Structures are given as C-alpha cells and as structure tokens.
Amino acid sequence: MKEICPIDKCTGCSACFNACGKGAIAMAEDACGYIRPQIDQSLCIDCGLCAKACPAVAKVALRYPIACYAATVSDGEELASCASGGVATELSRYVIDKGGVVYGCTGSDIRNVRHVRIDKTEDIELLKGSKYVQSFIGTTYQEARRDVLSGRLVLFVGTPCQVAGLTGFLRHKDYPNLITADLVCHGVPSQKMLNDNIALYCKDDEDIRVWFRQKERSSAVCDAPWRIAYGWFYQTSRMRAPRGIKYYKDPYMFGFLAPLTFRSCCYTCRYAHISRCSDFTLGDFWGLSPDAGFAIGKGVSEVLVNTNKAVAIWAEVKKRCRCAQRDVVEAQKGNGQLQAPSRKHRNYDRFISQYPNSGLKPAIQSALRMDLYKMRFNQLKNHIRHFINKVRNG
C-alpha cells in the first residue's frame, strides 16, 4: 500500500492508523503541520484494512435529519461556561449517568489538543469550549471499540470527518450502545499553526490558557442583550487577568475566519451539508427566529436528530434542557456550513507555500493584507455614517 487515499482528500482522521494491525502507519505532520498517514513499507503486508477504514475511500452514509431543536442547558451559570448552548454537556452527562463513557476533544493543554476518554461527571469540564484546531485522535477509535464491545454506553463527539473515521474503523456497523455526535465544522487549521501563534504571546515553558470566543454583554448597560465575541483570548501564568485581542489583530484568528488556514480537504468537505453522518449534529443555531424565545447572545445549540436511535435518546436528554422544536430548513438557512464547505481564500496557495519558511504571522500578513485594508476602510465608513446620523439627529 503506497497511498491510502488521494492527499487532497485525506482528513487526517486516523482511521487508517487505528485499523493497521502491523503498526505500519504513523500519523506525521507535513510542512504546514497537517497530520497525514505515513506507511512503513517494510511493515506493510498490503492487507487493505487501512483503505477499508478510510472514509475518503469507503464513503460513510449521510442521512437527512429526522428532527431539529433549538436548545440550551437549563442552568444559567453552566450556560455561561459553554461555547454555545451546552447540549454536548447535557448529552455527556446523560451517558455518564448511565454508567457510560464519553470521548471528546479537550483543550486543557492547548499546545496538545486531543481526544480523551472520560467517565466521571466532573471531567466534563475538560471537554468544554471551542478549540478551532484539529484534535489529535491517537488510538481513540481502538479504545472506543473496546468500550463498545464490553457493552458500555459510549458517546463519541468530534468533527464530522472524525465521526466518519470512527464509523469506517468499525466497518460501518451500527452498534446500539454507540452514540455519535458531530459538530458543525468550518474547517481545521493545524496544531503547528496554533502553537506558532501561542509563541507570539508567551515562552514555550510558560503555561497559557487560550479560548476563541466568549459571552459578554453587548454594552455597558446592565440589562443589554448578550453577544458572543470572537477573538484571541488568553491568560498566562504571569498575568493576573485574561486579555482579549480582536480577531483581525491576531494572525491565527484572522487566518481562521478568512478562511485561509484549513486543510485542503476542508474546502471540498462532503460533510458540509444538511445530510449528516452521525446520530446527532450539534452547532450554533444562527438565524433562529425570535419567536423561539431564546437570547441568542448567550448561546443556543442547534440539535439535529438524525437517526431513530437519536430520537429515543433525545426524548430523555431534552428533559434536562430548555428546548423548542424547529424546522430543519431554518437551521440550514442560518448556518452556511450546513449548505456548502468554506470557500478557499484566493491567496491560499501563497500562504501554504510561504508559511513553512516565513512563519505564521508573516505568511498571514502577506496573504491577508488586502482583506485587512478593506475591513478597516469599511469600519471607517461605518464610523463616519454613524457620526453623520448622530449630528443629524441632534
């Protein structure tokens, strides 16, 4: 086996790595930090198990959602600690309360974002927050299979391609005690890019906490509506309080939102569609109508219930949440990633060629220079328009 799938289709899901019984496959970084399989020909016996597991080769089935809900956790304090509406937290708590285990992504060590296994309620905190990077799977699929075969209830939460990787690794068999939940994904930069950005703010041996969105009031008025702010928020061991950087002033976030820094396959992602590969799909319910009665700025989860298994589970989980049934079309219209993949930035090839040699910040600045000029020009126009209206209104 010389190539498992075409390089531009590889999602780095690690299904091939987990499927190989001879240890002939390693997941290694390329020049931009994207992880890809490398085959040791001296160990490979050409059994083909890697290709059978690869979701880019043996495609995973996609299903149109059965139902759609807007939902949040009931506890206001916990809602504030969640990236969105907190449904992943309640789903995890449900599984652990049943004696099950949860596999999800943790950013507790932001320099090593990875999937971990938890089976205690207090450890759900490890999985909270948006990571905006590709997590390292490692042997997670093998561990999940062992738990599934032992009869335990298992929840796996990840990006759609990671769920598809697990499905492929399990040979597309639907286990009744396995629940999968995919997160609506815009695309993934590499851990190398994230670590290079961290180095702009602190030393390698310094502890740092990083997050990319936070919930805050939209003005100084105490009863003003809330909003979700995007940017680079961080706190090091030397700092008394967190600091926030506007997204366009931070290379990593500016590149992410461009979108400039994703894996090449993210721009042709077959999972960026309303039909999904998991039991549940979770995301932000952008475009939710006011008649639903939710404060959008505090975070509202979009819950797509895609299988009959999910219907039965959601009937129990929703008792723990505040929720309202919505039309699937409403969810799709409000979320571009349920319609089509992120559009590749016109300077993507320039960035990919420059980054390994020049570093993240110079490569981002070179590729997004005109974007920054246009954004600042539009900001200036808005300020002028606001000033003129203020003068006119006395």
Side-chain angles (χ1 to χ4, degrees):
M1 182 69 68
K2 294 182 179 180
E3 183 181 75
I4 300 165
C5 72
I7 191 169
D8 64 326
K9 299 298 181 185
C10 175
T11 65
C13 72
S14 299
C16 57
F17 167 75
N18 279 266
C20 182
K22 298 298 181 180
I25 298 175
M27 301 302 294
E29 291 186 352
D30 65 11
C32 290
Y34 305 121
I35 57 170
R36 306 186 187 279
Q38 289 188 347
I39 304 172
D40 184 338
Q41 299 297 332
S42 67
L43 297 176
C44 178
I45 60 172
D46 204 27
C47 65
L49 289 179
C50 53
K52 291 178 181 177
C54 176
V57 177
K59 296 190 183 301
V60 173
L62 303 179
R63 314 171 192 87
Y64 191 83
I66 296 171
C68 172
Y69 291 84
T72 68
V73 293
S74 299
D75 184 87
E77 189 173 316
E78 180 154 58
L79 178 60
S81 71
C82 298
S84 185
V87 170
T89 294
E90 284 300 347
L91 191 56
S92 298
R93 185 175 286 117
Y94 167 82
V95 169
I96 290 174
D97 286 350
K98 293 284 187 181
V101 298
V102 177
Y103 290 88
C105 174
T106 180
S108 57
D109 176 3
I110 196 63
R111 293 183 176 93
N112 181 28
V113 178
R114 66 197 188 280
H115 262 64
V116 294
R117 175 188 187 274
I118 65 168
D119 59 5
K120 297 181 177 63
T121 302
E122 56 266 29
D123 288 339
I124 293 175
E125 291 293 324
L126 296 174
L127 307 183
K128 286 184 177 180
S130 297
K131 286 77 178 184
Y132 289 22
V133 71
Q134 183 170 33
S135 64
F136 183 69
I137 288 291
T139 58
T140 297
Y141 299 158
Q142 296 176 17
E143 297 168 38
R145 180 176 61 183
R146 283 195 291 269
D147 280 324
V148 168
L149 294 179
S150 73
R152 296 189 74 171
L153 185 63
V154 174
L155 169 64
F156 181 92
V157 183
T159 60
C161 58
Q162 289 173 333
V163 173
L166 173 63
T167 301
F169 171 73
L170 296 175
R171 304 289 187 88
H172 305 268
K173 183 175 179 179
D174 184 20
Y175 292 90
N177 58 324
L178 173 63
I179 308 165
T180 56
D182 73 79
L183 306 172
V184 179
C185 176
H186 292 262
V188 288
S190 70
Q191 182 73 59
K192 173 179 167 59
M193 293 176 188
L194 178 54
N195 290 351
D196 287 351
N197 205 65
I198 290 172
L200 299 175
Y201 299 95
C202 69
K203 298 177 182 178
D204 291 344
D205 60 350
E206 191 173 3
D207 290 336
I208 184 172
R209 177 183 170 227
V210 175
W211 59 105
F212 307 97
R213 51 194 284 175
Q214 67 177 17
K215 298 173 183 179
E216 57 186 30
R217 293 190 181 276
S218 60
S219 76
V221 182
C222 63
D223 60 349
W226 289 69
R227 72 185 182 104
I228 297 176
Y230 294 85
W232 177 272
F233 305 96
Y234 74 103
Q235 184 174 12
T236 70
S237 53
R238 293 183 292 106
M239 297 167 59
R240 293 184 177 180
R243 184 184 177 195
I245 308 292
K246 291 183 183 297
Y247 76 89
Y248 56 86
K249 293 184 177 181
D250 175 75
Y252 188 83
M253 279 302 291
F254 200 24
F256 178 90
L257 294 172
L260 178 73
T261 55
F262 302 161
R263 292 181 73 101
S264 60
C265 62
C266 295
Y267 302 104
T268 57
C269 177
R270 72 183 295 261
Y271 310 109
H273 191 271
I274 191 60
S275 295
R276 312 303 292 178
C277 63
S278 308
D279 295 306
F280 291 96
T281 295
L282 307 176
D284 293 293
F285 210 132
W286 304 125
L288 179 63
S289 174
D291 67 12
F294 289 89
I296 302 297
K298 290 185 178 181
V300 180
S301 290
E302 177 178 86
V303 184
L304 300 181
V305 183
N306 306 321
T307 63
N308 290 327
K309 183 197 305 183
V311 169
I313 294 167
W314 181 245
E316 296 298 319
V317 176
K318 71 179 183 180
K319 296 175 184 176
R320 304 164 176 243
C321 304
R322 180 190 171 201
C323 70
Q325 188 161 7
R326 309 300 295 180
D327 196 300
V328 173
V329 174
E330 181 183 25
Q332 185 180 23
K333 283 185 175 180
N335 198 319
Q337 295 305 125
L338 296 178
Q339 302 170 34
S342 294
R343 187 173 181 179
K344 184 184 290 187
H345 194 278
R346 63 188 179 279
N347 292 331
Y348 177 78
D349 290 337
R350 180 200 300 178
F351 168 74
I352 292 298
S353 64
Q354 289 184 355
Y355 168 54
N357 298 317
S358 66
L360 184 69
K361 186 174 181 179
I364 292 286
Q365 290 175 334
S366 174
L368 299 182
R369 184 175 289 110
M370 288 305 300
D371 299 67
L372 185 59
Y373 288 157
K374 289 178 181 178
M375 185 195 65
R376 286 177 172 168
F377 178 69
N378 289 331
Q379 286 179 335
L380 179 60
K381 285 199 305 183
N382 289 335
H383 283 309
I384 293 173
R385 187 181 298 114
H386 177 72
F387 177 76
I388 291 173
N389 290 336
K390 189 175 181 180
V391 171
R392 284 176 176 172
N393 295 329

